[in-house]
Amino acid sequence: MELVQESPYRFRIDRAAPMRVPGVVFAVPELLPEVGTDRALDQVANVATLPGIVDASYAMPDVHWGYGFPIGGVAATDVADGGVVSPGGVGFDISCGVRLLTAELDRAELSRVLDPLMDGLDPAVPRGMGRGAVWQLADRAELDTVLRGGSRYAVEQGHGVPRDLARCEDGGVVSDADPEQVSDRAVQRGQGQVGSLGSGNHFLEVQVVEEVYDEPVAAAFGLRLGQVCVMIHSGSRGLGHQICTDHVRIMERVMPRHGIEVPDRQLACAPVESPEGRAYLGAMAAAANYARANRQLLAEAARRVFARVAGTGLDLVYDVSHNLAKIEEHERDGGTRRLCVHRKGATRALPPGHPDLPGDLRDAGQPVLIPGSMGTSSYVLTGVAGNPAFASTCHGAGRVRSRGEATRAARGQDVRRDLEGRGVAVRGASRKGLAEEMPEAYKDVSAVVEASRGAGLCRLVARLTPLGVVKG
């Protein structure tokens, strides 16, 4: 595939039938997917064929191959012009995202309690593939309440404080959730997992603010140099996975009825305004509420350990998803258009002054939370005006090795010892799990963030480094 470099941080894939729009990749050459081994760029072009797509099929600097859409893909479709919604444009881990909290501790104070703190977090954070959760729900009816109420319901039940909702995307709850569109199988998979970390690249990290790039914005976010933080990366667990599976199958069956053809069956889709489109969006919103409640309960588990061991609370900086489709209004062609914006492995990044921001963040912009690969830096960014990709930016480092490739590369290497040699305390991770998520399996997160900044997608606020990690 031929890429045309338009600027130091932007490449173009020219439109060719059946593409409806061009592809745009925000990156520098060393971050581009390797042609022949990673077909992410082919997926960027395939996404450009979706009915109703506007402007371009976008890819973030952390782009890599995914299901249908590339991970790091952004696409908006015009609802009034037959625009579609595609479950592959959200992914299996619906509303997977990141939550960042701050403690009233600095690095020196933490060093005295880090080991007992990590020993406390280890049993307090359920994780792995199976059951086990902080919150034991009574029955299907209570799960439905979680699916409708998200973090708001969790806080109402005593699992958090009102400020948590102000500092969560959408105030902690997506309003158009429809639990009736969630299958019994999805319910079974999600019933016992509210307040659990999962496996893979999900984690709970104890971090420190290593560097501040924008002090006024950092102060507005509640961050200062040397401060201890907790970052939580998790999503909707088995419930979200099953919802994606169920609705891909439904849309595969109905595409001919809507006159839709796609070059890859994994791009199965339906018009946003169709019964199938509305059903998926209702189920997706329910999974998003589940994911937010999940991170809310994990945060509460961490708060209890910090209070008991370190004598400090944890304040929420922000909680934001990076696997979601949202109906948004954007200015295009001299007017306001209602768009379905798919962000898969991409983070919404609202600029200063945006009406969806809480009042105390309106002048600073939205906190954007970018986790690094295990053992490397994570970043806090903020949104900027004039973002060329529907107020979206990167979501992390982006894989360059599959889990199998990483495991083979780690043979003879003690990843746990390597991490502890870097000053990172590790709890709960299996040898195989650590090998799959070794830092060398990912792109350089600092380069990804710099390319995002250079492309006009965000602004840097702070860099965080890990001191301890809890993994599945």
Side-chain angles (χ1 to χ4, degrees):
M1 177 175 292
E2 184 178 355
L3 281 175
V4 178
Q5 187 163 6
E6 298 182 318
S7 75
Y9 300 99
R10 180 175 172 133
F11 295 79
R12 185 182 73 251
I13 302 171
D14 284 327
R15 177 184 171 186
M19 294 168 67
R20 300 169 190 262
V21 294
V24 172
V25 183
F26 300 107
V28 291
E30 57 267 29
L31 292 176
L32 290 171
E34 187 173 339
V35 176
T37 60
D38 185 329
R39 297 187 61 199
L41 298 182
D42 293 327
Q43 292 185 317
V44 173
N46 287 344
V47 170
T49 70
L50 291 178
I53 189 169
V54 298
D55 289 3
S57 168
Y58 292 105
M60 301 293 111
D62 50 333
V63 64
H64 55 289
W65 183 85
Y67 181 92
F69 273 58
I71 298 168
V74 175
T77 64
D78 190 328
V79 176
D81 190 29
V84 297
V85 61
S86 174
V90 173
F92 287 97
D93 196 358
I94 296 168
S95 197
C96 181
V98 184
R99 172 170 289 222
L100 182 67
L101 304 104
T102 57
E104 283 306 312
L105 288 175
D106 61 26
R107 189 200 306 259
E109 294 168 318
L110 179 71
S111 64
R112 296 192 292 269
V113 295
L114 180 59
D115 282 340
L117 189 66
M118 297 303 299
D119 290 341
L121 289 170
D122 188 7
V125 179
R127 55 200 182 273
M129 293 291 290
R131 289 179 174 269
V134 176
W135 196 3
Q136 301 301 318
L137 302 179
D139 49 26
R140 165 74 193 252
E142 188 171 24
L143 176 58
D144 281 358
T145 306
V146 171
L147 299 182
R148 290 191 180 93
S151 292
R152 185 177 300 166
Y153 176 65
V155 171
E156 288 171 355
Q157 298 304 301
H159 304 294
V161 296
R163 184 181 181 277
D164 292 342
L165 303 180
R167 286 298 186 97
C168 185
E169 185 181 16
D170 302 313
V173 59
V174 182
S175 59
D176 54 355
D178 186 357
E180 291 185 5
Q181 306 304 328
V182 178
S183 69
D184 290 341
R185 175 60 180 147
V187 167
Q188 291 168 5
R189 295 184 68 179
Q191 185 76 45
Q193 294 185 333
V194 183
S196 62
L197 199 58
S199 57
N201 63 347
H202 295 158
F203 62 77
L204 183 150
E205 276 191 3
V206 178
Q207 304 173 333
V208 65
V209 180
E210 192 72 38
E211 195 168 3
V212 172
Y213 306 105
D214 189 321
E215 291 191 4
V217 173
F221 291 176
L223 298 170
R224 56 177 172 77
L225 192 65
Q227 186 173 30
V228 171
C229 302
V230 173
M231 181 175 280
I232 298 169
H233 178 205
S234 190
S236 52
R237 305 288 276 112
L239 178 133
H241 193 287
Q242 190 64 46
I243 286 172
C244 181
T245 300
D246 293 340
H247 287 267
V248 165
R249 290 171 179 164
I250 292 168
M251 290 186 181
E252 277 186 303
R253 292 197 300 268
V254 304
M255 279 196 297
R257 185 191 313 162
H258 295 295
I260 296 172
E261 294 184 10
V262 291
D264 181 353
R265 59 174 292 275
Q266 295 179 356
L267 290 175
C269 57
V272 171
E273 298 285 25
S274 69
E276 298 82 14
R278 289 193 295 269
Y280 170 70
L281 287 171
M284 182 207 70
N289 288 336
Y290 183 99
R292 290 161 197 201
N294 185 30
R295 290 192 290 273
Q296 182 72 36
L297 268 292
L298 289 168
E300 280 300 284
R303 279 171 167 159
R304 287 191 289 271
V305 174
F306 267 75
R308 184 181 76 248
V309 176
T312 183
L314 292 173
D315 291 327
L316 182 60
V317 174
Y318 207 67
D319 180 299
V320 65
S321 301
H322 51 231
N323 284 350
L324 214 55
K326 298 176 77 76
I327 306 300
E328 301 174 354
E329 291 187 348
H330 288 270
E331 296 295 323
R332 285 295 183 278
D333 301 326
T336 300
R337 299 169 73 178
R338 189 164 166 259
L339 306 179
C340 180
V341 184
H342 301 73
R343 297 183 179 92
K344 178 182 180 180
T347 311
R348 196 183 195 197
L350 300 179
H354 196 283
D356 287 351
L357 290 172
D360 61 343
L361 294 180
R362 197 152 294 160
D363 291 340
Q366 180 207 304
V368 179
L369 312 174
I370 307 299
S373 55
M374 184 175 55
T376 66
S377 296
S378 296
Y379 285 84
V380 180
L381 317 174
T382 190
V384 295
N387 180 301
F390 306 104
S392 309
T393 191
C394 62
H395 89 302
R399 293 194 79 96
V400 291
R401 287 177 174 170
S402 70
R403 288 181 170 86
E405 290 170 339
T407 300
R408 290 190 291 274
R411 285 175 184 162
Q413 181 178 348
D414 190 331
V415 178
R416 182 187 299 270
R417 186 177 62 193
D418 290 348
L419 288 170
E420 291 177 345
R422 301 182 193 185
V424 182
V426 180
R427 294 294 186 276
S430 67
R431 190 181 186 92
K432 180 175 182 292
L434 286 175
E436 290 176 346
E437 298 302 316
M438 62 191 293
E440 292 79 8
Y442 288 85
K443 298 179 183 181
D444 179 353
V445 67
S446 298
V448 167
V449 166
E450 172 56 25
S452 300
R453 183 208 61 78
L457 303 174
C458 56
R459 193 167 80 248
L460 276 67
V461 177
R463 181 172 65 89
L464 317 176
T465 55
L467 301 175
V469 59
V470 178
K471 292 281 292 183

